[in-house]
Amino acid sequence: MAAQTAGGFDVNGTKTLVDYLVEIKALDQARAEQIKNAEIQTGKSQEDIIIGQNLVSEDDLVRARAAFYNVSYVDLGATPANPVALSVVPQSVAEKFRVYPFFADQTKKELELAMANPLDLAAIEFIEQRTGYHIKPRAASPALIDEHIAKNYSSTLSQEVTEALKEVAPERAQVGTLEVGTERTGLIRQEKISEIVTHILDYAMKARASDVHIEPLERGTRVRYRIDGILQEKLTIPRELHDSLVSRIKILSNMKIDEKRIPQDGRFNFKKEGQEVDLRVSTLPTSWGEKVVMRLLKKSGGVPDLPDLGLRGRALKHLEDAILRPHGIITICGPTGSGKTTTLYSLIQRLNTPKVNIMTLEDPIEYRIQGVNQVQVNPAAGLTFASGLRSFLRQDPNIILVGEIRDEETASLAVQASLTGHLVLSTLHTNNASGALPRLMDMKAEPFLLASSMTAIVGQRVLRRIDDKTKEPYDPDSKVLEDMKRVLGNLWPQGETKLYRGKPTPENNNSGYLGRVAIFEVLPITEKVGRLILERASAGEIEKTAVEEGMVSMKQDGYLKALEGVTSLEEVLRVAQE
């Protein structure tokens, strides 16, 4: 570590604390000179002057102080809970010395410790004697240290996994040069691994996660949750437990435990406190071991109605008109994870009556709907989208849902089905609604058939909804407002305009967001658009005509929702920026 300072200067050189603050752009050069002059005039240290005048944020001060004293800095905001490290340092010790253990290497007996004062040698020595670990001090924000101690020592996920881990480490019996666990330990270990899997899934349900990623890394296994569409790292588990964890999940999913060279797929159910989820599990061999991704599909809660998804106004009316027609094709477009399947299910739910025969061909079936004939694609058995669709036409359907139009054969059959009096619903991987028509033509669909069979195309994205409990308005930058005015044109609302953001709280996962909402554009196939299809017009020309005829684009819908306080401007730009 660097030597202590004299008068704010490093005794080994001329760089001072404010110089480091200038380096990280927390202060400008003029203000830095003022602080140096004040230090000479008042005799106070630079740090006291900065704190007294509240010139920089606590985090910036900690970063600069870390660089000044040559100590590594750790951003606890981006650091997941590590149950092994938490089990090494008791909560009382962490609170007393204002330290937070975030990584432990049990083999080397090393512990990385975030400290409010990383130069506190007495605290380091005490914790080394208490734990038997060599301490590697790291500078961190005192406020974040307090928050992590309060949250992660009491958090059900890290606390329960920490408790389970205390009993997992096998008592080892030495046999020559080999180490083997005792039979009794094996049973305890199996039971505790099962407990850890239960805690991981239980937390996923409580946090409303859509996916759980269990990923092997060089120094451990990290557990990440996709909450409201964003991956968040919540936990790290010791490297040596990874294989046991994966084996437990494979057993639950009816996969081959000993097959680690190829990807596998499976599924199982998980029930907790009256709630049940269906888990779709996928394993993949990576350089550090097998990665597991579990997709959570709720069995209860029902399918949301179209307005609940975020459809409203003219877009909703166009879509409702399209589904009332007895034949034609309605296509939902967007990238993976943009909520296309949910919108399809909402449409099916709206159309589902005893008077119609609805048949769906899906890969996989995500929600089971009462009264609908749902078929799972099985290419290994010869049941593909194309072969299934051909069979459907002999089953007297009124409405057909095809999970995705992937190839020429499926596209051709979908068009033929719509022309013979069926309503066909499907999805396409295109960026917007107007891109669907050129894509279908690329799949050899004839323009004159598309012009008469297509009824509506929906483009969509999913973004996070601001947490209503912590929502607060703010005045945006004038440049931002000008861009919004330009994009919205005559849709710009009259009167005062405000944008909104949510305050991060533990209830909303420190994000300021809670739940999700979709933004849409609905392109009805009008006479003008039909003529453009016959002329094989580009996506840009089709979109221009649709906007002239009154289509609200996805970005416009997003901006309107931002002005209403449903979501934030940052979210709209994250998902809808061309």
Side-chain angles (χ1 to χ4, degrees):
M1 286 184 191
Q4 294 286 343
T5 60
F9 286 82
D10 186 333
V11 294
N12 295 328
T14 55
K15 247 186 179 180
T16 68
L17 184 66
V18 292
D19 292 326
Y20 285 105
L21 284 165
V22 170
E23 246 176 50
I24 63 169
K25 296 185 171 61
L27 278 180
D28 57 38
Q29 194 61 54
R31 182 55 63 92
E33 293 305 323
Q34 286 173 7
I35 294 167
K36 286 178 183 179
N37 291 335
E39 179 187 22
I40 295 163
Q41 290 164 8
T42 62
K44 286 183 180 177
S45 71
Q46 291 182 359
E47 196 169 321
D48 287 343
I49 294 164
I50 291 163
I51 293 168
Q53 294 181 29
N54 198 20
L55 296 174
V56 299
S57 69
E58 181 187 64
D59 194 51
D60 284 336
L61 187 59
V62 171
R63 281 174 192 267
R65 200 192 287 145
F68 183 58
Y69 290 122
N70 197 24
V71 179
S72 296
Y73 167 84
V74 62
D75 178 8
L76 288 183
T79 307
N82 185 314
V84 175
L86 291 171
S87 66
V88 172
V89 179
Q91 186 172 356
S92 56
V93 173
E95 286 170 345
K96 182 182 176 185
F97 294 106
R98 216 174 183 185
V99 299
Y100 176 77
F102 64 92
F103 184 79
D105 187 326
Q106 291 174 300
T107 314
K108 295 179 182 173
K109 285 284 180 182
E110 288 179 347
L111 183 71
E112 292 187 35
L113 204 61
M115 304 181 69
N117 179 9
L119 301 179
D120 187 347
L121 300 176
I124 292 169
E125 192 179 339
F126 176 85
I127 296 167
E128 281 186 335
Q129 286 178 351
R130 173 80 189 256
T131 63
Y133 278 70
H134 170 62
I135 301 300
K136 288 184 168 182
R138 305 283 184 256
S141 154
L144 277 177
I145 288 173
D146 294 341
E147 186 186 308
H148 272 58
I149 291 170
K151 184 172 81 176
N152 290 330
Y153 273 102
S154 60
S155 136
T156 52
L157 181 64
S158 52
Q159 192 180 31
E160 285 163 350
V161 173
T162 302
E163 287 304 312
L165 281 171
K166 281 179 184 173
E167 295 180 50
V168 148
E171 304 156 15
R172 298 200 176 269
Q174 200 81 21
V175 182
T177 56
L178 294 171
E179 286 185 332
V180 293
T182 64
E183 196 179 332
R184 179 178 160 274
T185 307
L187 290 171
I188 291 174
R189 187 188 178 99
Q190 209 171 5
E191 185 190 315
K192 291 295 168 185
I193 291 289
S194 174
E195 220 173 279
I196 290 170
V197 172
T198 302
H199 295 320
I200 288 170
L201 295 177
D202 189 27
Y203 183 83
M205 287 174 75
K206 285 176 183 167
R208 304 169 296 102
S210 61
D211 301 82
V212 180
H213 292 236
I214 297 172
E215 300 168 300
L217 304 173
E218 188 179 4
R219 296 171 71 193
T221 291
R222 70 175 175 184
V223 181
R224 296 195 289 172
Y225 294 87
R226 191 175 290 283
I227 301 166
D228 293 334
I230 305 291
L231 273 175
Q232 297 178 22
E233 195 172 340
K234 294 288 181 186
L235 192 68
T236 57
I237 289 169
R239 184 81 184 82
E240 54 270 23
L241 293 184
H242 181 78
D243 288 346
S244 306
L245 208 61
V246 173
S247 294
R248 175 64 192 153
I249 293 165
K250 281 182 167 182
I251 289 166
L252 291 169
S253 314
N254 287 321
M255 294 184 200
K256 293 176 183 172
I257 303 174
D258 54 344
E259 182 54 86
K260 299 181 180 185
R261 299 163 302 165
I262 58 169
Q264 294 187 65
D265 292 300
R267 63 194 306 160
F268 68 95
N269 286 353
F270 179 73
K271 214 173 191 175
K272 191 84 179 189
E273 294 164 8
Q275 273 193 311
E276 191 175 358
V277 287
D278 191 15
L279 288 121
R280 243 177 43 222
V281 185
S282 165
T283 67
L284 181 76
T286 70
S287 55
W288 296 112
E290 285 184 284
K291 177 184 173 180
V292 179
V293 176
M294 295 183 277
R295 163 68 56 92
L296 280 80
L297 304 167
K298 276 189 182 173
K299 286 199 159 187
S300 54
V303 177
D305 198 14
L306 293 172
D308 296 337
L309 296 176
L311 268 164
R312 70 248 177 103
R314 194 176 289 169
L316 179 60
K317 187 177 185 311
H318 284 322
L319 192 54
E320 285 177 332
D321 289 346
I323 62 175
L324 288 174
R325 292 175 66 172
H327 54 81
I329 302 177
I330 298 171
T331 314
I332 318 287
C333 303
T336 303
S338 58
K340 299 187 296 293
T341 308
T342 305
T343 303
L344 279 182
Y345 279 123
S346 295
L347 292 173
I348 288 290
Q349 191 82 341
R350 180 73 74 93
L351 295 163
N352 189 13
T353 70
K355 294 177 182 177
V356 290
N357 176 19
I358 302 176
M359 305 199 68
T360 78
L361 194 57
E362 303 172 59
D363 183 20
I365 295 169
E366 296 204 2
Y367 297 96
R368 288 178 171 82
I369 303 175
Q370 194 70 31
V372 174
N373 304 290
Q374 293 172 276
V375 177
Q376 164 84 49
V377 169
N378 185 354
L383 178 54
T384 61
F385 280 119
S387 66
L389 189 47
R390 201 175 282 109
S391 306
F392 274 19
L393 296 173
R394 296 192 288 273
Q395 289 279 322
D396 185 31
N398 298 98
I399 297 157
I400 298 171
L401 184 153
V402 185
E404 188 187 337
I405 295 176
R406 292 181 184 171
D407 52 43
E408 289 176 23
E409 197 180 358
T410 312
S412 170
L413 285 164
V415 170
Q416 292 301 328
S418 70
L419 292 171
T420 52
H422 305 92
L423 179 60
V424 180
L425 309 174
S426 192
T427 69
L428 263 178
H429 283 287
T430 61
N431 287 332
N432 53 19
S434 55
L437 294 162
R439 175 66 57 86
L440 287 166
M441 286 184 229
D442 287 344
M443 291 181 190
K444 306 285 189 290
E446 290 293 346
F448 69 93
L449 294 178
L450 282 180
S452 52
S453 63
M454 298 294 292
T455 52
I457 305 168
V458 180
Q460 69 177 76
R461 295 286 189 282
V462 173
L463 32 75
R464 292 181 290 173
R465 191 188 278 272
I466 294 173
D467 182 359
D468 278 335
K469 288 180 186 168
T470 66
K471 184 159 61 179
E472 52 186 22
Y474 70 97
D475 292 315
D477 187 76
S478 58
K479 281 183 184 172
V480 170
L481 283 178
E482 279 167 31
D483 180 60
M484 290 178 77
K485 271 183 185 170
R486 182 185 57 77
V487 170
L488 286 171
N490 59 4
L491 295 172
W492 183 259
Q494 298 302 311
E496 192 188 10
T497 50
K498 289 243 182 243
L499 289 177
Y500 298 82
R501 55 186 162 214
K503 238 183 186 166
T505 65
E507 286 73 34
N508 59 40
N509 264 306
N510 293 311
S511 66
Y513 299 97
L514 195 64
R516 293 201 279 174
V517 68
I519 54 173
F520 293 91
E521 59 185 24
V522 177
L523 194 164
I525 307 302
T526 59
E527 201 177 319
K528 268 189 185 177
V529 174
R531 275 203 299 274
L532 289 173
I533 296 171
L534 291 171
E535 293 164 13
R536 292 183 178 267
S538 68
E541 289 174 83
I542 293 168
E543 183 168 20
K544 189 182 170 194
T545 301
V547 169
E548 283 169 7
E549 291 191 319
M551 181 182 87
V552 176
S553 73
M554 268 188 285
K555 196 170 185 182
Q556 287 177 327
D557 189 30
Y559 278 168
L560 289 170
K561 284 183 171 118
L563 290 168
E564 289 162 15
V566 175
T567 188
S568 68
L569 180 67
E570 290 76 16
E571 276 297 287
V572 177
L573 295 175
R574 179 175 69 84
V575 303
Q577 186 73 289
E578 284 91 29

